[in-house]
């Protein structure tokens, strides 16, 4: 996974430095499921075969392989480029190449075909390792590579993908924040605070929108406790329905039943 470099690095060198590269099979299934649902119409409308990037896929290529499989259920001619800055990781991934899947060495410059026409960029568990001040410049750089209607999804999850929070951005900037969890393992919605993306994790303090949202979510979760006797899903749906009275949610019950809730960015944006 790439890290933002010092400005003095020579031209032509990949933009970034090597980071831990931790990865596991099926780790990003919740994010991928949301991408297929939320971005599926744009993928299907694309005049050209959709081009997607898995940025910083890590020490093994599982997430890029899985992204191709999941996107091809939406659009059979989708193409995925796995981008990593460590040449050894790229070499290790090459045996997994197939029609529609390539691995290249690079960083935030995204050395893949398509110019400014990428349909999807996914950067999971990458910017979490950066100083907060570097997040918005990285977002701007990546969003500049998106096609009209393209999407950047950037977020963080735990090691096996049970808890995940991500920001969705278009060419114009951030749009929404999605919280997703395996509900059977959830004690309270604020458990997701430790998986907030870098742009928000240091803002989980009084006076910030994300702190107020999680506090309200915990209260709604506690109020909905009787529905836990039916299922954790029923409790989650009831709690999210209560949140909708005060927060600008961008989804509905169909997504809530998947253990998700999506909030419009301005409500949670750092102040």
């Amino acid at each position: 996974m790439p890290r933002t470099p010092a400005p003095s690095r020579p031209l032509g060198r990949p933009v970034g430095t090597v980071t831990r590269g931790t990865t596991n099979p099926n780790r990003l299934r919740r994010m991928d499921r949301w991408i297929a649902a939320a971005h599926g119409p744009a993928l299907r409308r694309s005049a050209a075969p959709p081009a997607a990037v898995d940025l910083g896929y890590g020490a093994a290529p599982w997430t890029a392989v899985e992204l191709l499989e999941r996107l091809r259920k939406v659009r059979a001619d989708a193409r995925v480029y796995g981008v990593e800055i460590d040449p050894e990781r790229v070499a290790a991934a090459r045996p997994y190449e197939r029609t529609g899947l390539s691995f290249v060495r690079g960083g935030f410059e995204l050395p893949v075909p398509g110019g400014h026409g990428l349909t999807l960029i996914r950067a999971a568990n990458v910017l979490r390792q950066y100083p907060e001040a570097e997040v918005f410049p990285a977002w701007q750089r990546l969003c500049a590579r998106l096609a009209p209607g393209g999407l950047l999804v950037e977020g963080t999850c735990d090691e096996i993908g049970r808890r995940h929070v991500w920001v969705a951005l278009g060419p114009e900037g951030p749009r929404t924040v999605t919280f997703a969890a395996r509900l059977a393992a959830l004690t309270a919605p604020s458990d997701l605070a430790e998986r907030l993306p870098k742009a928000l994790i240091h803002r989980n303090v009084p006076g910030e929108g994300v702190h107020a949202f999680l506090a309200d979510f915990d209260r709604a979760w506690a109020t909905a406790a009787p529905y836990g006797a039916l299922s954790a899903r029923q409790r989650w749906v009831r709690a999210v329905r209560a949140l909708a009275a005060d927060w600008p949610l961008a989804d509905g019950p169909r997504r809530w039943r998947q253990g998700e809730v999506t909030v419009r960015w301005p409500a949670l944006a750092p102040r």
Side-chain angles (χ1 to χ4, degrees):
M1 299 182 187
R3 286 183 60 87
T4 301
S8 60
R9 299 229 172 166
L11 294 175
R13 187 171 178 179
V15 180
T17 57
V18 178
T19 54
R20 292 192 302 272
T22 305
T23 188
N24 282 300
N26 220 24
R27 186 182 187 187
L28 302 182
R29 61 194 179 279
R30 299 183 193 281
M31 179 183 278
D32 290 350
R33 182 175 62 194
W34 181 88
I35 289 170
H39 200 45
L43 293 169
R44 287 186 285 267
R45 286 194 303 265
S46 177
V53 168
D54 184 13
L55 176 60
Y57 58 83
W62 319 131
T63 60
V65 172
E66 292 165 354
L67 181 61
L68 178 69
E69 294 171 351
R70 289 160 183 163
L71 291 183
R72 289 207 156 178
K73 293 178 180 178
V74 178
R75 178 76 181 251
D77 58 353
R79 181 170 187 85
V80 171
Y81 298 94
V83 177
E84 248 296 341
I85 202 165
D86 183 345
E88 293 184 1
R89 294 175 184 173
V90 176
R94 287 271 161 80
Y96 294 87
E97 289 186 337
R98 63 194 71 176
T99 301
L101 179 62
S102 302
F103 294 95
V104 298
R105 186 186 179 212
F108 287 100
E109 79 283 3
L110 299 185
V112 301
H116 299 282
L118 294 171
T119 310
L120 172 70
I121 302 169
R122 186 186 65 184
N125 303 300
V126 176
L127 290 175
R128 176 65 180 271
Q129 302 177 55
Y130 289 51
E132 184 181 357
E134 297 182 17
V135 171
F136 283 87
W139 281 359
Q140 290 176 328
R141 181 166 197 157
L142 295 173
C143 285
R145 295 294 305 276
L146 293 174
L151 194 70
L152 164 63
V153 182
E154 186 273 306
T156 304
C157 67
D158 65 2
E159 288 73 13
I160 57 175
R162 293 175 302 177
R163 298 174 182 175
H164 208 152
V165 187
W166 60 81
V167 182
L169 305 93
E172 78 287 356
R175 296 174 177 172
T176 60
V177 182
T178 298
F179 299 78
R182 181 177 182 272
L183 299 180
L186 193 70
T187 303
S190 58
D191 291 349
L192 291 164
E194 65 183 16
R195 299 301 166 184
L196 288 168
K198 192 66 176 192
L200 294 174
I201 193 164
H202 300 303
R203 305 299 180 136
N204 187 26
V205 294
E208 292 281 353
V210 69
H211 182 272
F213 174 76
L214 289 173
D216 281 359
F217 205 168
D218 275 358
R219 282 191 288 270
W221 179 257
T223 301
Y227 292 93
L230 301 175
S231 68
R233 176 181 297 178
Q234 287 293 324
R235 184 178 182 181
W236 175 272
V237 169
R238 289 288 175 167
V240 174
R241 195 180 300 278
L243 282 179
D246 299 306
W247 292 90
L249 305 187
D251 55 4
R254 186 173 182 178
R255 302 312 308 169
W256 303 344
R257 287 192 289 271
Q258 299 294 324
E260 298 171 9
V261 60
T262 298
V263 190
R264 299 196 184 280
W265 171 258
L268 306 186
R271 294 177 181 172

